[in-house]
Amino acid sequence: MIDINTIPFTDFDAVVLDLDGTLYQKPHMVWHMMVGDRCHLLELAGERIARTWIAGRHYESQDAFYQSFFWKIAQWMPFSPKHAKKWYFTHYLPTMLKVIQRYYRLSDWVQPLVEKAKATGAKVVVYSDYEMMAEKFAILGFDASQLDFAICASELGGAKPCKESMEALLKMLKVTASRTLVIGDRDKTDGEAARRVGARFICC
């Protein structure tokens, strides 16, 4: 939970919001994903392993990022990276959307925070490790019209807490790290990404 009245918005030129676990709380997400995609439990296990392994690594392009990610999912599994890629985009992400729609809702503080930040002149973006962000906004009922933009970490070449991705994000925003506030639910990813560039972090 975030108390927006305690945030000195005038100290910041940009607010960077995480999505999953931040815009909405996600207790038991792993369990719901397993129940929702019971035919692909090996793939789900591979995704968890790959997600941990790839965290913080930087790649020269989104294609290079995905190549490494899907290779890692398939490394210890009886299927190919091609299969992993197909499963990820046709099963994993759609299952996540269904789980969000059924079990989760937008956190009460999110929309007021965005409005207050924008009212002080700050830029606001959503920065996520996962794709299908627009679909998640729609499911959650999040009004993304006030965002400057939303971007997936893969587009920047590396999952959180990749320093190079955070630096690229700050460059896109045209702000300094010291005037940037990062809000997320995981200190090891969101928090560490902020610290690596010198931004302030609030854990929700």
Side-chain angles (χ1 to χ4, degrees):
M1 180 68 179
I2 297 291
D3 182 357
I4 66 173
N5 295 315
T6 65
I7 300 175
F9 288 100
T10 54
D11 290 350
F12 302 107
D13 296 323
V15 176
V16 178
L17 292 166
D18 173 51
L19 201 168
D20 300 285
T22 300
L23 297 193
Y24 68 97
Q25 296 182 16
K26 56 172 187 176
H28 314 302
M29 172 63 87
V30 173
W31 169 254
H32 291 314
M33 290 293 293
M34 291 172 63
V35 172
D37 198 11
R38 284 170 289 185
C39 295
H40 298 95
L41 295 181
L42 284 177
E43 288 89 338
L44 285 167
E47 192 277 338
R48 288 292 83 199
I49 293 170
R51 187 70 63 179
T52 300
W53 177 80
I54 209 167
R57 298 173 183 265
H58 184 253
Y59 299 88
E60 61 183 15
S61 67
Q62 185 177 41
D63 286 343
F65 171 88
Y66 280 137
Q67 183 177 4
S68 183
F69 180 53
F70 295 129
W71 168 81
K72 191 64 178 181
I73 291 178
Q75 185 178 16
W76 305 109
M77 305 296 168
F79 47 75
S80 67
K82 183 178 180 180
H83 171 88
K85 180 179 180 179
K86 181 179 179 180
W87 163 79
Y88 184 77
F89 286 110
T90 63
H91 288 277
Y92 180 82
L93 292 174
T95 297
M96 182 182 286
L97 295 180
K98 292 177 183 177
V99 167
I100 294 171
Q101 185 171 35
R102 182 171 183 179
Y103 295 104
Y104 305 114
R105 66 180 182 85
L106 186 69
S107 295
D108 293 338
W109 57 267
V110 173
Q111 210 74 60
L113 181 143
V114 173
E115 293 171 1
K116 193 165 185 178
K118 295 299 292 184
T120 62
K123 298 177 180 179
V124 181
V125 302
V126 173
Y127 171 41
S128 175
D129 272 339
Y130 295 88
E131 299 80 359
M132 293 193 172
M133 301 172 71
E135 291 86 348
K136 292 177 183 179
F137 294 157
I139 288 171
L140 292 167
F142 173 59
D143 179 9
S145 63
Q146 292 192 73
L147 294 178
D148 287 79
F149 57 86
I151 193 164
C152 184
S154 63
E155 298 177 65
L156 301 174
K160 302 170 187 175
C162 179
K163 180 181 179 181
E164 292 85 352
S165 292
M166 274 299 297
E167 289 174 337
L169 180 60
L170 294 175
K171 187 175 181 180
M172 292 173 66
L173 287 166
K174 298 180 181 179
V175 297
T176 61
S178 62
R179 297 276 302 175
T180 300
L181 173 63
V182 177
I183 300 176
D185 67 308
R186 298 187 64 196
D187 185 72
K188 289 185 178 180
T189 53
D190 304 302
E192 183 60 23
R195 287 188 291 272
R196 287 184 180 185
V197 297
R200 181 177 168 185
F201 173 63
I202 295 178
C203 186
C204 65

